[in-house]
């Protein structure tokens, strides 16, 4: 495994380090930027082979793969002026920061790969979308749960928009729980029951022999309770509103990519 540097050691930076060390197999040397000091210190204490560098340039110099995981507004402060040799591989996980934008900021000819790691990467349980495909980046994410290289940045934006639906899903489960509580069910009971219902859904999703439509159909009795909620609540209007919200998000992501000269 190659030497890996991470600039921006926050939520997702930590998840990537945890994933790299998840089974302790073939763990690489990891070099962290000094910002996000508390997380960086915790990781370097916890994992032998993880070190905190004095500055961002030192992260680049010591690494073969450099992962950029600062927030979009912080990218100039974090990256401008860094010297990135052409033999490095840069992995950009910043949402809404296109390849052209990053290349202008870094002024390097090194390969730049966009990626969408998710928090479950810490247990090597999430598939990471990448663009453009690069054998080193793809094999890194294969090791961390799976890589899904896509054909162009437009497709990358579609996957990026899909990741924007995750917290709505949790909120949906919380709304179900609140509804039951409103009908006199103890909050702990309601919450643990909803969790158990949807953990079952999560397990069923592992069955890739059935499409999502088939899974839905297989769990539904004709004229039964599930069909009733699906057809009375998740109506065409509701489904179209969801598609519209995703379209708007996608337009925003593509707009950010097109207006990047700050
Ligand atoms: N969280 C997620 O699930 C995912 C996040 N992303 C992307 O990853 C990026 C980071 O997100 P997330 O981890 O949630 O954010 P966090 O705020 O948790 O982490 C960002 C880190 O960047 C550090 N930072 C800020 N300025 C600099 C600098 N000049 N040099 C070095 N480090 C700096 C911050 O340090 P300090 O605390 O000192 O300010 C902080 O530790 C974002 O662009 C986001 O779009 C992508 C996929 C998933």
């Amino acid at each position: 495994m190659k030497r890996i540097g991470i600039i921006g050691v926050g939520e997702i930076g930590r998840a990537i380090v945890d994933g790299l060390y998840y089974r302790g197999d073939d763990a690489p040397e990891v070099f962290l930027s000094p910002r996000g000091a508390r997380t960086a210190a915790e990781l370097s204490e916890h994992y032998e082979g993880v070190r905190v560098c004095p500055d961002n340039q030192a992260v680049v110099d010591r690494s073969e793969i450099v992962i950029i995981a600062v927030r979009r507004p912080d990218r100039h402060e974090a990256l401008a002026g860094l010297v990135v040799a052409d033999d490095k591989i840069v992995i950009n996980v910043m949402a809404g920061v296109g390849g052209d934008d990053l290349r202008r900021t870094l002024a390097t000819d090194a390969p730049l790969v966009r990626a969408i790691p998710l928090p479950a990467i810490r247990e090597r349980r999430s598939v990471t979308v990448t663009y453009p495909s690069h054998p080193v980046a793809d094999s890194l994410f294969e090791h961390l749960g799976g890589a899904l290289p896509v054909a162009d940045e437009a497709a990358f934006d579609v996957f990026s928009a899909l990741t924007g639906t995750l917290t709505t899903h949790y909120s949906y489960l919380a709304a179900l729980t609140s509804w039951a509580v409103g009908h006199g069910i103890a909050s702990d009971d309601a919450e643990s029951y909803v969790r158990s219902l949807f953990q079952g859904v999560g397990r069923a999703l592992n069955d890739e022999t059935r499409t999502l439509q088939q899974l839905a159909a297989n769990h539904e009795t004709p004229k039964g309770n599930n069909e009733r909620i699906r057809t009375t609540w998740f109506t065409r209007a509701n489904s179209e509103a969801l598609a519209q919200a995703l379209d708007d998000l996608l337009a925003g992501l593509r707009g950010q990519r097109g207006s990047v000269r700050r």
Side-chain angles (χ1 to χ4, degrees):
M1 177 72 77
K2 295 188 179 292
R3 294 190 306 277
I4 296 178
I6 302 181
I7 296 179
V9 189
E11 211 35 53
I12 201 66
R14 178 202 283 275
I16 292 169
V17 176
D18 286 340
L20 289 167
Y21 279 81
Y22 184 57
R23 292 200 189 100
D25 55 334
D26 194 21
E29 282 186 277
V30 174
F31 300 96
L32 304 178
S33 60
R35 280 282 292 276
R38 196 157 146 208
T39 306
E42 278 172 20
L43 290 168
S44 69
E45 274 161 33
H46 195 64
Y47 298 117
E48 204 183 331
V50 175
R51 260 155 283 167
V52 185
C53 293
D55 53 42
N56 293 351
Q57 184 64 56
V59 175
V60 175
D61 294 343
R62 291 174 196 180
S63 310
E64 294 159 283
I65 301 174
V66 181
I67 299 175
I68 314 274
V70 296
R71 290 181 180 271
R72 185 174 190 268
D74 293 331
R75 67 196 189 285
H76 292 297
E77 187 201 329
L79 306 174
L82 291 183
V83 178
V84 180
D86 298 354
D87 61 349
K88 311 279 179 187
I89 295 147
V90 178
I91 299 180
N92 164 21
V93 308
M94 295 177 287
V97 179
D100 292 348
D101 178 340
L102 186 60
R103 196 168 293 288
R104 269 193 296 276
T105 307
L106 286 177
T108 179
D109 288 327
L112 306 183
V113 178
R114 293 188 74 185
I116 315 174
L118 295 171
I121 203 167
R122 63 166 53 91
E123 293 170 341
R124 301 189 184 173
R125 280 178 196 270
S126 75
V127 170
T128 300
V129 174
T130 61
Y131 175 78
S133 180
H134 186 288
V136 172
D138 290 348
S139 107
L140 172 68
F141 290 117
E142 243 350 298
H143 181 67
L144 293 174
L148 178 58
V150 295
D152 52 35
E153 219 158 17
F156 186 91
D157 290 334
V158 171
F159 284 95
S160 195
L162 285 178
T163 68
T165 62
L166 283 177
T167 60
T168 302
H169 188 70
Y170 289 115
S171 296
Y172 166 70
L173 303 189
L176 298 180
T177 304
S178 298
W179 175 83
V181 170
H183 283 271
I185 305 299
S187 166
D188 285 358
D189 288 348
E191 179 149 341
S192 69
Y193 191 69
V194 167
R195 282 176 189 256
S196 120
L197 269 179
F198 285 88
Q199 279 161 5
V201 171
R203 282 191 293 277
L205 289 175
N206 286 324
D207 173 6
E208 295 191 6
T209 63
R210 289 185 284 172
T211 65
L212 294 175
Q213 293 289 4
Q214 283 167 337
L215 283 170
N218 293 163
H219 282 80
E220 198 169 274
T221 309
K223 308 243 180 290
N225 296 347
N226 273 272
E227 184 188 278
R228 178 165 173 157
I229 294 297
R230 181 176 59 77
T231 54
T232 55
W233 180 67
F234 199 47
T235 56
R236 179 182 290 264
N238 196 342
S239 170
E240 283 172 1
L242 174 61
Q244 186 61 56
L246 286 165
D247 281 349
D248 292 347
L249 175 58
L250 184 60
L253 289 169
R254 291 184 173 156
Q256 276 180 342
R257 203 149 47 71
S259 60
V260 288
R261 295 181 221 309
R262 281 205 295 124

